[in-house]
Amino acid sequence: MTHVSDPAPNPHATADEVQAAYHDPKLANVLYHDWEAGTYDEKWSISYDERCISYATDVFNAVAGTQGQPYGHAMELGSGTGFFLLNLMQGGVIKKGSVTDLSPGMVQVALRNAENLGLDVDGRVADAERIPYDDDSFDLVVGHAVLHHIPDVRAALREVLRVLKPGGRFVFAGEPTKIGDFYARRLGRLTWWLTTNLTKLAPLRAWRRPQTELDESSRAAALEAVVDLHTFDPSELERMALGAGAVDVRAVTDEFSAALVGWPIRTFEAAVPQEKLTLRWRLFAYHAWLRLSALDRKVLAKVLPRELFYNVMITGTKPAEPSRL
C-alpha cells in the first residue's frame, strides 16, 4: 500500500512541464519515470523469474557477501518497478520490503509487481535527499541504478545512514562509471543511428518502427540525458560514502566486454519493432551477456583496472552503537 498523502502518477506531461523539466532535474526524473513506468520492465528486459533473481542475488553477494542474510526489513531507494528489491526477496536475501521512488508511477508499478508475486511490501513516494522514514528503521537499504539520478548524492547517503539501524548495511549497484558511461553512450548513439537509417532502405523497411514511435523514443532519450546527472569513479564513490559516515565501505566494478556488446544489443532492440525480436534472438542476447559477464568476472577483472568497467557497486554499514558498560 502507498501512503495516503502520496501524489498520483502523471504519465502524460504537458509541453510546458517537459520544457520546465530541462531546468529541474527532480521534475525531469518524475516526468521521465512516470512516462516510462508502464513499459519500463519490457524496455530493460526486467523479469521476476530465475533469470533476474540470479542476477540480483549474484550482484548483491559480489559486493556485500552472504553474511547477515536474510535481512529482516529492507528499503529500496529509487526502486523503479521494484526490480532489485523484489528479486532479492524472492532469492531469500530479504524478508520484508519497502519501495521508495520520486516517481509516483514507479511506486505504483512496484507495488503491483509485489502484490502479483505475493511479497510483503509497502511503498512511499520519496525524495532520496529527505527519506520519509524514522531514524533506525531498516536493516538494509538497497538501490539499483539510482545514485546517478540524485542531485545531491552525499545528502542521500547521509539519509540512508540515518534510516538504517546501527550496524545496518546499504548496497547500491548498477551505477555508471565515468569511463564506462563514455563508451556505452557512444556505442548506443552509433547503433541507434545505424539502425534507424538502414531500416529506411526498402529491403529492411519491415524492421523499421513507425516514425511517431521513433520520434517519441528520441524525445525520451533527450529527457533521459537530463535525468542522468552523474557518473562515478569507484574511489570517489568510496570517499563519498566514508564522508557520509559509513564504515566498512567497499566498491566493486563489473561488465566490460558485456557492456561493449550489451549496449549495442539493447539499443538495437529499442529501435526495431518488438515482434521482430523472436525468442531465439532473446535467448541469444541473454546467453551472450551471460558468457561475457563470466569472462569479465573470472578473467578481465583480474587484469584490467576497475575504472574501465561499466558498472560500479558499493556497500557500507552504519556504525554500530558503542557498547554500554
Side-chain angles (χ1 to χ4, degrees):
M1 55 179 281
T2 54
H3 199 265
V4 291
S5 64
D6 284 348
N10 177 22
H12 304 294
T14 66
D16 287 343
E17 287 173 325
V18 171
Q19 190 61 40
Y22 284 100
H23 308 285
D24 184 341
K26 290 187 179 181
L27 176 61
N29 265 291
V30 172
L31 297 184
Y32 174 76
H33 289 101
D34 272 4
W35 183 8
E36 292 274 278
T39 57
Y40 195 78
D41 284 351
E42 179 183 5
K43 174 182 176 180
W44 294 102
S45 299
I46 291 172
S47 63
Y48 301 91
D49 53 19
E50 188 56 38
R51 177 175 66 90
C52 281
I53 293 170
S54 295
Y55 170 81
T57 55
D58 287 350
V59 164
F60 185 95
N61 293 339
V63 66
T66 58
Q67 187 175 359
Q69 299 181 21
Y71 294 85
H73 191 186
M75 178 193 74
E76 183 169 10
L77 191 70
S79 63
T81 57
F83 155 74
F84 203 35
L85 179 82
L86 303 185
N87 281 312
L88 288 174
M89 291 181 75
Q90 291 192 102
V93 176
I94 297 162
K95 291 181 179 178
K96 179 182 178 181
S98 298
V99 291
T100 64
D101 201 286
L102 195 60
S103 159
M106 287 295 191
V107 173
Q108 189 177 80
V109 174
L111 290 173
R112 185 168 68 236
N113 285 338
E115 183 179 6
N116 291 340
L117 295 166
L119 298 174
D120 184 8
V121 176
D122 58 36
R124 293 289 306 273
V125 175
D127 185 331
E129 296 168 18
R130 293 183 296 276
I131 300 172
Y133 287 97
D134 294 336
D135 296 358
D136 307 336
S137 292
F138 300 101
D139 303 291
L140 173 70
V141 172
V142 299
H144 193 280
V146 58
L147 295 181
H148 68 282
H149 292 311
I150 300 171
D152 192 339
V153 176
R154 289 175 175 82
L157 290 172
R158 289 194 294 269
E159 277 289 274
V160 165
L161 290 167
R162 180 185 65 79
V163 301
L164 277 172
K165 296 175 182 178
R169 178 176 295 279
F170 64 81
V171 173
F172 290 102
E175 300 297 338
T177 63
K178 291 185 182 297
I179 295 174
D181 182 75
F182 178 84
Y183 59 70
R185 285 193 182 276
R186 280 155 181 77
L187 282 170
R189 284 198 288 266
L190 176 61
T191 305
W192 181 267
W193 184 86
L194 284 172
T195 305
T196 55
N197 280 280
L198 287 173
T199 52
K200 291 178 181 177
L201 302 174
L204 299 175
R205 204 161 288 157
W207 284 81
R208 186 171 180 80
R209 287 174 62 188
Q211 190 62 43
T212 54
E213 292 182 10
L214 292 173
D215 290 343
E216 185 170 354
S217 292
S218 295
R219 285 194 296 272
L223 198 55
E224 186 175 20
V226 179
V227 304
D228 290 348
L229 302 176
H230 309 287
T231 55
F232 299 101
D233 175 85
S235 298
E236 176 191 27
L237 192 55
E238 288 173 331
R239 288 192 293 271
M240 281 187 188
L242 290 167
V247 296
D248 302 323
V249 172
R250 175 176 180 246
V252 176
T253 57
D254 69 355
E255 290 195 23
F256 178 66
S257 66
L260 291 174
V261 174
W263 272 93
I265 286 177
R266 191 177 296 124
T267 306
F268 169 77
E269 290 176 343
V272 302
Q274 289 300 300
E275 61 269 18
K276 292 293 186 180
L277 303 175
T278 63
L279 177 61
R280 186 175 181 179
W281 164 266
R282 293 184 186 278
L283 287 173
F284 154 76
Y286 174 55
H287 288 295
W289 179 84
L290 280 181
R291 287 192 292 268
L292 292 173
S293 293
L295 173 67
D296 292 336
R297 186 172 59 254
K298 296 176 181 178
V299 179
L300 298 183
K302 298 176 181 178
V303 297
L304 295 177
R306 65 178 182 170
E307 291 80 8
L308 290 181
F309 290 74
Y310 177 73
N311 280 323
V312 59
M313 309 168 281
I314 189 163
T315 190
T317 59
K318 180 174 181 173
E321 290 181 324
S323 59
R324 296 184 176 90
L325 298 178

